[in-house]
Amino acid sequence: MTALGERAVVDRAASRQRDRQVARLFDDSYRSLRGLAFVMLGDASAAEEVVMEAFEKAFSGWNRFRSLEHPHAYLRQIVVNLCRSRFRRQKVEGRVNALVHRGERAPAPPDHESRLDLWAAVRELPERQRACVVLRYLEDMQEQEVADVLDCSVGTVKSQLFKARAKLERALGEGAMRGEK
């Protein structure tokens, strides 16, 4: 067998091994990442798009990615960043639409009483507070882990969680935050 033929055999074997590793990571991570994105975005199809985009980003640099110690944590960080990018893009689109349709009246927001669901209230939080709440309480991460994912200090995470809890308490009422009806 020639050197070129041997290289092709090695490349095919490495490709099969990579495909198995990718499939295993996808099977292990997809569901939780989709849940994370859904809670942050409030839209199932957008959540799926974000997760698939995260896998695409991760695997486009597979050689660098496979050497990571915690690939699931890295994927989670990509998902959070992609969700935050969508928030920013939606804000810009909202401002542009408001300028374009300046003379038209915007539809009235839905009655807040009909949205006293906790996750609906969480989706109303500013993006950084929302990310902190979702990572801390849904993903059950410690404050240091949240800080690592969001690339900020633990103090920032604590501050954002405090502000988020205060806003949720106002939105849902004090009793709802303590589990009372």
Side-chain angles (χ1 to χ4, degrees), residues 3-169:
L4 192 56
E6 289 174 12
R7 183 175 176 176
V9 169
V10 170
D11 286 347
R12 280 194 298 273
S15 180
R16 282 193 299 274
Q17 180 180 358
R18 181 202 64 218
D19 291 348
R20 283 192 300 273
Q21 291 171 331
V22 168
R24 189 174 329 114
L25 184 60
F26 183 87
D27 290 342
D28 292 346
S29 304
Y30 178 78
R31 190 172 183 173
S32 68
L33 293 173
R34 187 187 64 204
L36 169 64
F38 175 74
V39 172
M40 290 187 71
L41 298 172
D43 179 339
S45 62
E48 289 180 8
E49 288 174 17
V50 162
V51 172
M52 295 310 292
E53 188 176 344
F55 275 99
E56 179 185 347
K57 284 183 178 295
F59 299 123
S60 66
W62 177 250
N63 288 333
R64 190 173 26 104
F65 182 80
R66 72 177 174 175
S67 66
L68 292 173
E69 197 171 315
H70 302 288
H72 180 76
Y74 182 66
L75 281 168
R76 185 177 332 146
Q77 185 172 16
I78 293 172
V79 166
V80 168
N81 288 338
L82 289 171
C83 288
R84 293 175 74 194
S85 292
R86 279 190 182 237
F87 298 144
R88 286 188 290 275
R89 194 168 40 251
Q90 288 170 347
K91 282 182 184 179
V92 169
E93 288 172 0
R95 282 188 231 130
V96 168
N97 285 335
L99 288 173
V100 169
H101 303 291
R102 185 179 291 168
E104 301 173 17
R105 302 246 315 131
D111 181 347
H112 192 64
E113 291 298 318
S114 67
R115 297 185 321 160
L116 289 184
D117 163 73
L118 175 62
W119 292 114
V122 168
R123 284 191 293 273
E124 295 298 319
L125 293 172
E127 74 175 67
R128 185 164 236 177
Q129 290 176 17
R130 184 181 332 167
C132 286
V133 166
V134 169
L135 292 171
R136 177 71 177 101
Y137 299 112
L138 179 70
E139 290 287 312
D140 199 28
M141 296 173 75
Q142 297 299 313
E143 290 165 344
Q144 181 61 57
E145 294 172 306
V146 174
D148 292 343
V149 168
L150 297 178
D151 195 26
C152 64
S153 70
V154 173
T156 298
V157 170
K158 289 179 180 183
S159 169
Q160 293 299 303
L161 288 170
F162 177 82
K163 290 174 184 177
R165 284 190 299 265
K167 285 182 182 182
L168 290 172
E169 192 170 285

